[in-house]
Amino acid sequence: MSDSEPYVHYEFWHSHYCEKTRWALDLKGAPYRPKLLVPVQHALPMILRTGQRQVPVLAGRGVRIAGSTAILEHLEAAWPDPPLFPRAPALRAEVDEAMGWFDRKLGPGIRRAFFYRLMPHTALLNDIMARPAGPIGRAIYTATTPLNKLIMRKAMGIDAAGAERGEDITRQALERLAALGDGYLVGDRFTAADLTAAALLYPLSGSPDAPHLPPDRPADLSEWLDGWRAHPGTAWVRRIYAEHRRPPA
Ligand SMILES: N[C@@H](CCC(=O)N[C@@H](CS)C(=O)NCC(=O)O)C(=O)O
């Protein structure tokens, strides 16, 4: 392995878990090549390559790691600066606890809430999901829309009740962050917990430093997003982005 050998980062461009690992890669200055995949069409190649279906996956430089937190832990060991995890065991335990809550509760919750609002708008949904595909992949994705939607609904638990629970969890997360004011989740510096919270909330934040959802949006979706953007918790997310999100090298 040469020092300049880039990792390959298997990702969906729009995925909030992939934004989390891209952010850590960019912050650490680790060399990587994004490999953009199209949801649903990604499943078989991913299973063949990694034995599981989900992204993000980080491969190369002697590793193949699935799961955003495992990827952050690997990057911390391989690229210690700037640190994302505190050395002091008590603070580290607090970071692990906070990350675990955002990963396991907020991540799936906000996704259910967002996709429930997005899925009725088929053209926009297809535009977001099939963005990395060439003309043939795009045509296949469009032709298989009903099947894609069915798979998404099943895989993510997207229905009215799931969306409502997702909104409740999202509100809880934003209230926790709003209460921090200018502070951080753990101690008095930026850690993996803040990175995780901000990345998982990026779709609601409207941060100019986060991935851009298409600007042409149906009125009901815009109104829904604007409602979240007025919440002081999303102001915390925008500040964390502005102060800590380094662009790719
Ligand atoms: N716990 C995982 C969650 C990853 C995850 O949910 N990935 C989604 C995209 S946001 C995915 O790959 N979905 C496609 C599938 O399940 O086939 C992590 O932290 O990386």
Side-chain angles (χ1 to χ4, degrees), residues 142-159:
T142 304
T144 54
T145 294
L147 178 67
N148 299 335
K149 285 190 179 179
L150 187 75
I151 293 173
M152 286 172 70
R153 279 201 192 95
K154 272 212 151 309
M156 296 189 257
I158 302 169
D159 56 27

Side-chain angles (χ1 to χ4, degrees), residues 18-228:
C18 298
E19 168 61 0
K20 172 181 160 186
T21 44
R22 254 192 326 256
W23 186 337
L25 283 159
D26 291 337
L27 196 74
K28 298 283 190 183
Y32 71 100
R33 191 166 55 76
K35 174 77 184 148
L36 294 166
L37 304 174
V38 176
V40 182
Q41 297 172 8
H42 78 291
L44 189 59
M46 227 32 219
I47 290 169
L48 293 176
R49 263 196 206 107
T50 69
Q52 59 86 56
R53 233 180 40 202
Q54 293 196 317
V55 291
V57 166
L58 190 68
R61 301 179 71 95
V63 301
R64 183 181 292 159
I65 307 169
S68 60
T69 293
I71 293 172
L72 259 58
E73 286 169 346
H74 163 76
L75 290 173
E76 183 78 357
W79 309 81
D81 282 319
L84 276 174
F85 292 91
R87 291 258 168 83
L91 291 179
R92 172 63 198 251
E94 279 186 51
V95 167
D96 289 344
E97 192 281 319
M99 276 179 88
W101 188 85
F102 284 98
D103 273 337
R104 285 191 291 274
K105 297 275 187 205
L106 172 70
I110 185 177
R111 189 168 58 186
R112 276 197 302 270
F114 182 74
F115 277 110
Y116 183 72
R117 299 281 171 165
L118 176 63
M119 278 176 71
H121 305 292
T122 302
L124 180 59
L125 175 75
N126 288 348
D127 184 31
I128 290 177
M129 304 305 251
R131 187 184 284 189
I136 296 175
R138 219 164 233 276
I140 294 173
Y141 197 88
T142 304
T144 54
T145 294
L147 178 67
N148 299 335
K149 285 190 179 179
L150 187 75
I151 293 173
M152 286 172 70
R153 279 201 192 95
K154 272 212 151 309
M156 296 189 257
I158 302 169
D159 56 27
E164 202 178 312
R165 279 199 312 279
E167 288 204 14
D168 284 348
I169 292 166
T170 302
R171 216 166 282 114
Q172 274 176 46
L174 289 175
E175 271 151 32
R176 181 170 175 184
L177 299 173
L180 298 172
D182 290 344
Y184 296 101
L185 277 161
V186 177
D188 55 6
R189 12 183 322 205
F190 178 72
T191 67
D194 305 297
L195 184 155
T196 298
L200 294 183
L201 282 159
Y202 97 79
L204 304 187
S205 73
S207 161
D209 307 299
H212 284 77
L213 299 171
D216 279 343
R217 296 179 200 128
D220 64 324
L221 188 61
S222 278
E223 229 171 77
W224 186 76
L225 287 171
D226 287 347
W228 292 110

